[in-house]
Amino acid sequence: MDKIVVFGHKSPDTDTITSAIVYAYLKNAIGVEAEAVALGEVNNETKFALDKFGFEAPRIIESVANEAKKVILVDHNEKQQSADGIDEVQVMEVIDHHRIANFETADPLYYRAEPVGCTATIINKIFKEKGVEIPSSIAGLMLSAIVSDTLLFKSPTCTEEDVVAARELEKIAGVDVEEYGLAMLKAGADLSDKSLEDLLTLDAKEFGMGDYKVIIAQVNAVDVNDVMDRQAELEELITREIQEKELDLFFFVVTDILNNDSVALALGKLALKAESAFNVKFDNNIALLKGVVSRKKQVVPALTEALTN
Amino acid sequence: MDKIVVFGHKSPDTDTITSAIVYAYLKNAIGVEAEAVALGEVNNETKFALDKFGFEAPRIIESVANEAKKVILVDHNEKQQSADGIDEVQVMEVIDHHRIANFETADPLYYRAEPVGCTATIINKIFKEKGVEIPSSIAGLMLSAIVSDTLLFKSPTCTEEDVVAARELEKIAGVDVEEYGLAMLKAGADLSDKSLEDLLTLDAKEFGMGDYKVIIAQVNAVDVNDVMDRQAELEELITREIQEKELDLFFFVVTDILNNDSVALALGKLALKAESAFNVKFDNNIALLKGVVSRKKQVVPALTEALTN
């Protein structure tokens, strides 16, 4: 029980999984016993990165209270995105690049958040600050996280610091970031083994916007038509979800990783608000959102503005 | 309005005031326009430090909304300790060494908290990370903050990192930390120009403990009898405060900066709980608390435990 467990958010993505592994490695390197765990199955993109650099997916935990007394959070801080039982353990550290909300501690802690595109970019700095050498395989994981979170530097969330970190890590990992990165993104966008239910839940986040309840789900695809060809079935599933969860809006975003655009499907009684949010006409509930790839920086702010004004 | 304002908490102490000045200096040195401001008058201890190293007290602001659109918080994060109007501005950064609570942002930010004794210890690291040289006078302010927050390294809140930082800063500032530090603490413990009302409010913080409302006020003194000789008058003022604010406990702590003990005066309907909290007998409402100097690390946890169990 003295061991510290390190984990990212629910519905884990590549940054969350690899940052947990990498940060646990760093803690072990400086003499602190730590284990990376996950709050769910890894996705295809993350699996590609783990396989490439020779790592297993972290053990999945259900609730944290039986696992450890002390924990480190990476890539998130909001309670509803974290492990069940989080209130029963002590958060020793947080390494994150999101806003801070629904987070509170009883004691002082190490909290390191920076407004960059990826948690791995921050951890790369901490390696240097602690004087710990980054092995090639660990560099590969961090590079994968940056590629994933910035869509190969194309997302508006990408900062100069992310690019610089990726260039450093590319050398250590001994891969070509453009070539490897595109292969990894394509692996993540391979939806052939996914059910439609999977597509709607794999990376779905719920938001309160004013008094409204909104779910925004996002998937990456090489060909958005692979997904949108099944619109009728998708709408049936989404409509059921809206009823069950009493949602005001379900916004489903399929992001084209080659052209860096997204196609959105909007359902629910506030679906029309999406038109003013993005200044486009939705035809048969669907619209192309030119240049939109980031939920955090583009979709959430635009919908929040439209729904709360 | 493009300028960023930097400030610490209400009822400012030496760490809060000097960290605002020092961090604004650091931002200016890296090309970001920033101004240190204060949320109240500086105390005698802080004035001693500012005079010694040639600084003026920062301009006092009433509310932050008319001052700037963007702010940096040092030495605090909790909303009730921060500037009025804090919800109307964007918090760009927080540099702090306290727990996180009642804090929330809409956007990602730079948040740097570490569980050390003093904000200045963290800022000392950031100077190095940014490659900015620390001038002698700025080092003097940072050293003053560490001396103040750690009571010259005697407080249980003091960490090895605080001591190391102080030794570095002592050299740059060109002072003897023991000699200068004691003179500064004594200046702060000079209560001759203070009314009894001042003593009860200068450094008073309100806490919710379970369902109870508690105020813990603390002053430093060279001779605790200077304060406690006027117990009858103090009790009259405290009793009035308890009635007006409907407090369950008013706990007044006078800390002996030479012997590193405190004498406490406990009033209110839960005053007896202080006996179990500190395992001492209160005689005529007063007890000596051997080795107790830190409100954060010793008084608050002990009272919280006693009042909520």
Side-chain angles (χ1 to χ4, degrees):
Chain A
M1 284 290 271
D2 280 352
K3 181 186 58 187
I4 297 177
V5 298
V6 184
F7 52 87
H9 54 75
K10 288 176 175 164
S11 301
D13 59 11
T14 300
D15 188 27
T16 255
I17 294 289
T18 60
S19 288
I21 294 172
V22 167
Y23 202 63
Y25 172 87
L26 173 57
K27 295 309 273 189
N28 288 326
I30 57 175
V32 177
E33 200 186 341
E35 182 195 3
V37 297
L39 305 186
E41 296 282 348
V42 301
N43 65 31
N44 286 347
E45 179 193 279
T46 309
K47 188 168 183 325
F48 183 90
L50 294 175
D51 288 348
K52 168 80 181 177
F53 296 104
F55 289 86
E56 299 282 326
R59 178 168 76 85
I60 295 173
I61 64 168
E62 295 295 327
S63 166
V64 74
N66 298 324
E67 298 288 338
K69 286 180 182 145
K70 297 177 174 182
V71 304
I72 293 174
L73 311 186
V74 292
D75 195 34
H76 76 295
N77 66 84
E78 301 192 39
K79 193 183 294 186
Q80 74 280 8
Q81 299 170 5
S82 197
D84 296 342
I86 189 73
D87 283 336
E88 298 163 53
V89 297
Q90 186 180 3
V91 178
M92 305 299 292
E93 300 187 24
V94 178
I95 317 290
D96 191 19
H97 66 124
H98 296 89
R99 70 171 191 159
I100 299 176
N102 297 316
F103 180 81
E104 181 166 309
T105 64
D107 295 286
L109 74 164
Y110 182 87
Y111 197 111
R112 179 78 168 260
E114 300 191 20
V116 293
C118 180
T119 307
T121 302
I122 306 167
I123 298 179
N124 184 47
K125 285 190 196 180
I126 303 177
F127 266 96
K128 293 179 196 174
E129 290 163 18
K130 300 283 181 198
V132 176
E133 202 182 334
I134 303 177
S136 158
S137 61
I138 291 287
L141 291 188
M142 293 165 83
L143 182 65
S144 304
I146 297 175
V147 166
S148 172
D149 265 16
T150 68
L151 269 188
L152 248 177
F153 318 128
K154 301 279 178 35
S155 169
T157 59
C158 185
T159 69
E160 185 58 30
E161 290 194 45
D162 299 298
V163 177
V164 170
R167 295 300 171 198
E168 290 172 12
L169 294 164
E170 183 185 16
K171 285 202 193 85
I172 304 171
V175 296
D176 177 278
V177 66
E178 271 75 19
E179 188 187 331
Y180 163 71
L182 193 59
M184 187 195 81
L185 290 176
K186 280 185 175 169
D190 176 6
L191 306 172
S192 57
D193 65 336
K194 302 296 176 207
S195 68
L196 289 183
E197 285 87 345
D198 287 342
L199 299 188
L200 296 176
T201 55
L202 265 176
D203 186 10
K205 286 188 182 174
E206 186 178 313
F207 298 87
M209 295 184 181
D211 293 334
Y212 303 120
K213 207 169 152 187
V214 177
I215 283 185
I216 306 173
Q218 185 173 25
V219 291
N220 289 346
V222 174
D223 184 347
V224 298
N225 293 325
D226 287 351
V227 180
M228 286 306 183
D229 280 351
R230 301 176 68 186
Q231 184 181 353
E233 292 163 85
L234 281 168
E235 291 200 359
E236 201 180 309
L237 288 169
I238 291 173
T239 302
R240 198 184 308 155
E241 180 95 347
I242 288 173
Q243 283 164 357
E244 277 172 10
K245 296 196 172 162
E246 297 184 339
L247 303 175
D248 299 289
L249 174 64
F250 192 110
F251 201 72
F252 181 52
V253 182
V254 186
T255 298
D256 178 335
I257 59 163
L258 299 183
N259 297 305
N260 302 299
D261 297 319
S262 294
V263 171
L265 170 61
L267 289 176
K269 62 175 185 283
L270 295 180
L272 267 180
K273 291 278 189 184
E275 300 206 331
S276 57
F278 296 98
N279 202 22
V280 292
K281 187 101 193 109
F282 276 67
D283 186 13
N284 186 27
N285 304 324
I286 280 183
L288 172 67
L289 309 180
K290 289 292 292 177
V292 170
V293 297
S294 167
R295 176 167 50 195
K296 176 165 83 171
K297 206 125 175 177
Q298 295 173 304
V299 179
V300 172
L303 285 177
T304 303
E305 173 86 12
L307 265 62
T308 57
N309 278 349
Chain B
M1 282 292 271
D2 281 352
K3 182 187 59 189
I4 297 177
V5 299
V6 184
F7 51 87
H9 54 75
K10 287 177 174 163
S11 301
D13 59 12
T14 300
D15 188 27
T16 256
I17 294 288
T18 60
S19 288
I21 295 172
V22 167
Y23 202 62
Y25 172 87
L26 173 57
K27 296 309 274 187
N28 288 325
I30 57 176
V32 177
E33 200 186 341
E35 182 195 1
V37 296
L39 305 186
E41 297 280 348
V42 302
N43 65 32
N44 286 345
E45 181 192 278
T46 309
K47 188 169 183 324
F48 183 90
L50 294 174
D51 288 348
K52 168 81 179 176
F53 296 104
F55 289 87
E56 299 282 326
R59 177 168 77 85
I60 295 174
I61 64 167
E62 295 295 327
S63 167
V64 75
N66 297 324
E67 297 289 337
K69 287 181 182 143
K70 297 177 174 182
V71 304
I72 293 174
L73 311 186
V74 293
D75 195 33
H76 77 295
N77 67 84
E78 302 192 40
K79 194 183 294 186
Q80 74 280 8
Q81 298 169 5
S82 198
D84 296 341
I86 189 72
D87 283 336
E88 297 162 56
V89 298
Q90 186 181 4
V91 178
M92 305 299 293
E93 301 188 24
V94 178
I95 318 291
D96 192 20
H97 66 124
H98 297 89
R99 70 170 191 160
I100 298 176
N102 297 316
F103 180 79
E104 181 165 307
T105 63
D107 295 287
L109 74 165
Y110 182 88
Y111 197 112
R112 179 78 169 260
E114 300 191 21
V116 293
C118 180
T119 306
T121 301
I122 306 167
I123 298 179
N124 184 48
K125 285 190 196 180
I126 303 178
F127 266 96
K128 292 180 197 174
E129 290 163 18
K130 300 282 180 197
V132 175
E133 201 182 334
I134 304 177
S136 158
S137 60
I138 291 287
L141 291 188
M142 293 165 83
L143 182 65
S144 303
I146 297 175
V147 167
S148 173
D149 266 16
T150 68
L151 269 188
L152 248 178
F153 318 128
K154 301 280 178 34
S155 168
T157 59
C158 185
T159 70
E160 185 59 29
E161 291 194 44
D162 299 299
V163 178
V164 170
R167 295 301 171 197
E168 291 172 11
L169 295 164
E170 182 185 17
K171 284 201 195 87
I172 304 171
V175 295
D176 176 278
V177 66
E178 270 75 18
E179 189 187 331
Y180 164 70
L182 192 59
M184 188 196 79
L185 291 176
K186 279 185 176 170
D190 175 6
L191 305 173
S192 57
D193 65 336
K194 301 297 176 208
S195 68
L196 289 183
E197 285 89 346
D198 289 341
L199 299 188
L200 295 176
T201 54
L202 266 175
D203 186 10
K205 286 188 181 173
E206 187 177 313
F207 297 87
M209 295 183 181
D211 293 334
Y212 304 120
K213 206 169 152 187
V214 176
I215 284 184
I216 306 174
Q218 185 174 28
V219 292
N220 288 346
V222 174
D223 185 346
V224 297
N225 293 325
D226 286 350
V227 180
M228 285 306 184
D229 280 350
R230 302 176 67 186
Q231 184 180 354
E233 293 162 85
L234 280 168
E235 291 200 359
E236 202 180 307
L237 289 169
I238 291 173
T239 302
R240 199 183 309 154
E241 180 96 348
I242 288 172
Q243 283 164 357
E244 278 171 12
K245 297 195 173 162
E246 298 183 338
L247 303 174
D248 299 290
L249 174 64
F250 192 110
F251 200 73
F252 180 52
V253 182
V254 186
T255 298
D256 179 335
I257 59 163
L258 299 182
N259 297 305
N260 302 300
D261 297 318
S262 293
V263 171
L265 169 61
L267 289 177
K269 62 174 185 282
L270 295 180
L272 268 180
K273 291 277 188 184
E275 299 205 332
S276 57
F278 297 98
N279 201 21
V280 292
K281 189 101 192 109
F282 276 67
D283 186 13
N284 186 26
N285 304 323
I286 281 182
L288 171 67
L289 308 180
K290 288 294 292 177
V292 171
V293 298
S294 167
R295 175 167 51 196
K296 175 165 82 171
K297 205 125 177 176
Q298 296 173 305
V299 178
V300 172
L303 285 178
T304 304
E305 173 85 13
L307 264 62
T308 57
N309 278 349

